[in-house]
């Protein structure tokens, strides 16, 4: 316990966020994700949130091994419309940049990180989900030209210790940019 506490303090001192150290199992009825968001001064940040509006679905009547599930279906009439689906393997570093479009990134295998312009670094492991809308079309992207962060809604990312497989879901959000982190 003491070693864990010391390690946590050491890593936080290196700029890693507490959420990067979270190892708690999933809570029943709660789906966590991290959101990269841009504050009014053009600085990027990452916060952890829970997906809201989950509905309880009972699939036991379908037979077999079906059971209770918590579900939130996104559709064109909801918060997002799906615009693309890409698999990618990150192998190196990507200096200060915007995301190509608003997107969800799901880590499949390996590990990667994002350094936000607030100076913090967050690590993503298999199963972690990120939402980001800091694209070049973001109104605050005009604060700085590409590659000149830490201003202008940019982030730095890279693979940790080898290739990292990711599933990227491009989306068109109903509200762009998000009015505040964790709005849905």
């Amino acid at each position: 316990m003491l070693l864990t506490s010391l390690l946590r303090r050491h890593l936080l001192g290196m700029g890693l966020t507490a959420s990067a150290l979270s190892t708690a199992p999933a809570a029943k009825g709660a789906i966590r994700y991290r959101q990269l968001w841009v504050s009014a001064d053009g600085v990027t940040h990452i916060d952890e949130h829970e997906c809201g509006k989950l509905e309880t679905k009972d699939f036991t009547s379908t037979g077999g091994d079906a059971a209770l599930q918590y579900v939130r279906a996104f559709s064109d009439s909801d918060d997002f419309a799906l615009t693309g689906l890409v698999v990618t393997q990150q192998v190196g570093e990507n200096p200060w940049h915007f995301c190509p479009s608003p997107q969800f990134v799901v880590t499949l295998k390996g590990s990667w990180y994002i350094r936000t312009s607030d100076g913090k670094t967050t690590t993503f492991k298999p199963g972690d989900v990120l939402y980001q809308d800091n694209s070049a079309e973001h109104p605050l992207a005009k604060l700085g030209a590409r590659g000149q962060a830490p201003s202008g809604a940019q982030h730095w990312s890279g693979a940790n210790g080898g290739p990292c497989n990711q599933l990227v879901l491009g989306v068109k959000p109903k509200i762009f940019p998000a009015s505040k982190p964790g709005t849905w």
Side-chain angles (χ1 to χ4, degrees):
M1 203 61 151
L2 177 62
L3 181 59
T4 302
S5 177
L6 290 173
L7 179 61
R8 184 177 296 268
R9 256 187 269 143
H10 174 71
L11 291 174
L12 290 172
M14 293 171 41
L16 293 175
T17 63
S19 63
L21 305 174
S22 179
T23 58
K28 190 174 184 179
I31 298 176
R32 294 182 335 185
Y33 69 95
R34 294 188 185 111
Q35 181 172 350
L36 190 155
W37 62 281
V38 184
S39 55
D41 57 359
V43 175
T44 53
H45 311 269
I46 292 181
D47 289 329
E48 190 169 294
H49 301 281
E50 285 187 4
C51 186
K53 303 178 187 173
L54 295 173
E55 296 178 16
T56 305
K57 301 282 185 177
D58 186 353
F59 294 103
T60 55
S61 64
T62 61
D65 294 333
L68 181 70
Q69 294 183 18
Y70 295 89
V71 177
R72 167 112 188 250
F74 292 96
S75 66
D76 289 343
S77 63
D78 209 342
D79 295 315
F80 303 97
L82 185 63
T83 60
L85 177 64
V86 176
V87 291
T88 184
Q89 186 177 73
Q90 189 165 18
V91 295
E93 287 196 311
N94 295 314
W96 296 111
H97 64 283
F98 304 108
C99 64
S101 66
Q103 62 188 15
F104 286 91
V105 180
V106 181
T107 308
L108 300 174
K109 188 169 186 170
S111 175
W112 67 296
Y113 68 89
I114 289 181
R115 183 174 307 124
T116 47
S117 55
D118 65 4
K120 295 183 178 159
T121 301
T122 304
T123 298
F124 296 85
K125 297 178 182 176
D128 286 343
V129 177
L130 168 74
Y131 173 71
Q132 62 185 139
D133 67 1
N134 66 317
S135 68
E137 287 75 39
H138 193 290
L140 297 171
K142 292 160 184 49
L143 291 177
R146 181 176 174 83
Q148 295 178 346
S151 67
Q154 297 180 59
H155 66 281
W156 182 297
S157 62
N160 279 328
C164 178
N165 298 346
Q166 301 167 331
L167 176 68
V168 180
L169 299 115
V171 295
K172 181 176 182 181
K174 202 178 232 183
I175 299 172
F176 174 78
S179 56
K180 62 180 181 175
T183 56
W184 39 269

